[in-house]
mmCIF file with all atom_site columns, all heavy atoms in Angstrom:
data_model
loop_
_atom_site.group_PDB
_atom_site.id
_atom_site.type_symbol
_atom_site.label_atom_id
_atom_site.label_alt_id
_atom_site.label_comp_id
_atom_site.label_asym_id
_atom_site.label_entity_id
_atom_site.label_seq_id
_atom_site.pdbx_PDB_ins_code
_atom_site.Cartn_x
_atom_site.Cartn_y
_atom_site.Cartn_z
_atom_site.occupancy
_atom_site.B_iso_or_equiv
_atom_site.pdbx_formal_charge
_atom_site.auth_seq_id
_atom_site.auth_comp_id
_atom_site.auth_asym_id
_atom_site.auth_atom_id
_atom_site.pdbx_PDB_model_num
ATOM 1  N N   . VAL N 1 178 ? 47.480 -1.349 53.212 1.00 98.00 ? 178 VAL N N   1
ATOM 2  C CA  . VAL N 1 178 ? 46.192 -1.643 53.869 1.00 98.00 ? 178 VAL N CA  1
ATOM 3  C C   . VAL N 1 178 ? 46.471 -2.016 55.320 1.00 98.00 ? 178 VAL N C   1
ATOM 4  O O   . VAL N 1 178 ? 47.585 -2.401 55.682 1.00 98.00 ? 178 VAL N O   1
ATOM 5  C CB  . VAL N 1 178 ? 45.416 -2.777 53.167 1.00 98.00 ? 178 VAL N CB  1
ATOM 6  C CG1 . VAL N 1 178 ? 44.954 -2.336 51.775 1.00 98.00 ? 178 VAL N CG1 1
ATOM 7  C CG2 . VAL N 1 178 ? 46.253 -4.056 53.083 1.00 98.00 ? 178 VAL N CG2 1
ATOM 8  N N   . ASN N 1 179 ? 45.421 -1.905 56.138 1.00 98.00 ? 179 ASN N N   1
ATOM 9  C CA  . ASN N 1 179 ? 45.507 -2.281 57.537 1.00 98.00 ? 179 ASN N CA  1
ATOM 10 C C   . ASN N 1 179 ? 44.638 -3.502 57.751 1.00 98.00 ? 179 ASN N C   1
ATOM 11 O O   . ASN N 1 179 ? 43.413 -3.429 57.572 1.00 98.00 ? 179 ASN N O   1
ATOM 12 C CB  . ASN N 1 179 ? 45.056 -1.107 58.406 1.00 98.00 ? 179 ASN N CB  1
ATOM 13 C CG  . ASN N 1 179 ? 45.309 -1.375 59.881 1.00 98.00 ? 179 ASN N CG  1
ATOM 14 O OD1 . ASN N 1 179 ? 44.773 -2.322 60.453 1.00 98.00 ? 179 ASN N OD1 1
ATOM 15 N ND2 . ASN N 1 179 ? 46.081 -0.505 60.507 1.00 98.00 ? 179 ASN N ND2 1
ATOM 16 N N   . ILE N 1 180 ? 45.256 -4.607 58.131 1.00 98.00 ? 180 ILE N N   1
ATOM 17 C CA  . ILE N 1 180 ? 44.532 -5.857 58.336 1.00 98.00 ? 180 ILE N CA  1
ATOM 18 C C   . ILE N 1 180 ? 44.595 -6.228 59.817 1.00 98.00 ? 180 ILE N C   1
ATOM 19 O O   . ILE N 1 180 ? 45.648 -6.604 60.338 1.00 98.00 ? 180 ILE N O   1
ATOM 20 C CB  . ILE N 1 180 ? 45.118 -6.999 57.483 1.00 98.00 ? 180 ILE N CB  1
ATOM 21 C CG1 . ILE N 1 180 ? 45.137 -6.618 56.016 1.00 98.00 ? 180 ILE N CG1 1
ATOM 22 C CG2 . ILE N 1 180 ? 44.327 -8.285 57.706 1.00 98.00 ? 180 ILE N CG2 1
ATOM 23 C CD1 . ILE N 1 180 ? 43.789 -6.360 55.386 1.00 98.00 ? 180 ILE N CD1 1
ATOM 24 N N   . CYS N 1 181 ? 43.485 -6.032 60.516 1.00 98.00 ? 181 CYS N N   1
ATOM 25 C CA  . CYS N 1 181 ? 43.414 -6.340 61.948 1.00 98.00 ? 181 CYS N CA  1
ATOM 26 C C   . CYS N 1 181 ? 44.538 -5.669 62.716 1.00 98.00 ? 181 CYS N C   1
ATOM 27 O O   . CYS N 1 181 ? 45.138 -6.254 63.618 1.00 98.00 ? 181 CYS N O   1
ATOM 28 C CB  . CYS N 1 181 ? 43.425 -7.851 62.190 1.00 98.00 ? 181 CYS N CB  1
ATOM 29 S SG  . CYS N 1 181 ? 42.063 -8.746 61.444 1.00 98.00 ? 181 CYS N SG  1
ATOM 30 N N   . GLY N 1 182 ? 44.855 -4.444 62.349 1.00 97.00 ? 182 GLY N N   1
ATOM 31 C CA  . GLY N 1 182 ? 45.857 -3.664 63.042 1.00 97.00 ? 182 GLY N CA  1
ATOM 32 C C   . GLY N 1 182 ? 47.263 -3.809 62.488 1.00 97.00 ? 182 GLY N C   1
ATOM 33 O O   . GLY N 1 182 ? 48.173 -3.144 62.976 1.00 97.00 ? 182 GLY N O   1
ATOM 34 N N   . ILE N 1 183 ? 47.454 -4.631 61.481 1.00 98.00 ? 183 ILE N N   1
ATOM 35 C CA  . ILE N 1 183 ? 48.772 -4.847 60.877 1.00 98.00 ? 183 ILE N CA  1
ATOM 36 C C   . ILE N 1 183 ? 48.860 -4.136 59.527 1.00 98.00 ? 183 ILE N C   1
ATOM 37 O O   . ILE N 1 183 ? 47.991 -4.335 58.667 1.00 98.00 ? 183 ILE N O   1
ATOM 38 C CB  . ILE N 1 183 ? 49.058 -6.366 60.674 1.00 98.00 ? 183 ILE N CB  1
ATOM 39 C CG1 . ILE N 1 183 ? 48.973 -7.094 62.019 1.00 98.00 ? 183 ILE N CG1 1
ATOM 40 C CG2 . ILE N 1 183 ? 50.438 -6.574 60.043 1.00 98.00 ? 183 ILE N CG2 1
ATOM 41 C CD1 . ILE N 1 183 ? 49.960 -6.662 63.060 1.00 98.00 ? 183 ILE N CD1 1
ATOM 42 N N   . GLU N 1 184 ? 49.907 -3.352 59.326 1.00 98.00 ? 184 GLU N N   1
ATOM 43 C CA  . GLU N 1 184 ? 50.132 -2.718 58.017 1.00 98.00 ? 184 GLU N CA  1
ATOM 44 C C   . GLU N 1 184 ? 50.678 -3.738 57.030 1.00 98.00 ? 184 GLU N C   1
ATOM 45 O O   . GLU N 1 184 ? 51.625 -4.436 57.307 1.00 98.00 ? 184 GLU N O   1
ATOM 46 C CB  . GLU N 1 184 ? 51.108 -1.552 58.161 1.00 98.00 ? 184 GLU N CB  1
ATOM 47 C CG  . GLU N 1 184 ? 50.560 -0.337 58.865 1.00 98.00 ? 184 GLU N CG  1
ATOM 48 C CD  . GLU N 1 184 ? 51.474 0.867  58.760 1.00 98.00 ? 184 GLU N CD  1
ATOM 49 O OE1 . GLU N 1 184 ? 52.533 0.762  58.108 1.00 98.00 ? 184 GLU N OE1 1
ATOM 50 O OE2 . GLU N 1 184 ? 51.134 1.910  59.354 1.00 98.00 ? 184 GLU N OE2 1
ATOM 51 N N   . VAL N 1 185 ? 50.036 -3.781 55.850 1.00 98.00 ? 185 VAL N N   1
ATOM 52 C CA  . VAL N 1 185 ? 50.451 -4.699 54.806 1.00 98.00 ? 185 VAL N CA  1
ATOM 53 C C   . VAL N 1 185 ? 50.653 -3.897 53.526 1.00 98.00 ? 185 VAL N C   1
ATOM 54 O O   . VAL N 1 185 ? 49.781 -3.090 53.149 1.00 98.00 ? 185 VAL N O   1
ATOM 55 C CB  . VAL N 1 185 ? 49.393 -5.815 54.571 1.00 98.00 ? 185 VAL N CB  1
ATOM 56 C CG1 . VAL N 1 185 ? 49.881 -6.785 53.513 1.00 98.00 ? 185 VAL N CG1 1
ATOM 57 C CG2 . VAL N 1 185 ? 49.091 -6.539 55.873 1.00 98.00 ? 185 VAL N CG2 1
ATOM 58 N N   . HIS N 1 186 ? 51.765 -4.143 52.869 1.00 98.00 ? 186 HIS N N   1
ATOM 59 C CA  . HIS N 1 186 ? 52.095 -3.441 51.611 1.00 98.00 ? 186 HIS N CA  1
ATOM 60 C C   . HIS N 1 186 ? 52.050 -4.427 50.457 1.00 98.00 ? 186 HIS N C   1
ATOM 61 O O   . HIS N 1 186 ? 52.323 -5.628 50.626 1.00 98.00 ? 186 HIS N O   1
ATOM 62 C CB  . HIS N 1 186 ? 53.474 -2.801 51.701 1.00 98.00 ? 186 HIS N CB  1
ATOM 63 C CG  . HIS N 1 186 ? 53.581 -1.760 52.778 1.00 98.00 ? 186 HIS N CG  1
ATOM 64 N ND1 . HIS N 1 186 ? 53.417 -0.403 52.504 1.00 98.00 ? 186 HIS N ND1 1
ATOM 65 C CD2 . HIS N 1 186 ? 53.800 -1.845 54.120 1.00 98.00 ? 186 HIS N CD2 1
ATOM 66 C CE1 . HIS N 1 186 ? 53.538 0.284  53.636 1.00 98.00 ? 186 HIS N CE1 1
ATOM 67 N NE2 . HIS N 1 186 ? 53.780 -0.570 54.636 1.00 98.00 ? 186 HIS N NE2 1
#
Side-chain angles (χ1 to χ4, degrees):
V178 293
N179 188 300
I180 305 297
C181 299
I183 302 298
E184 288 190 2
V185 182
H186 297 264

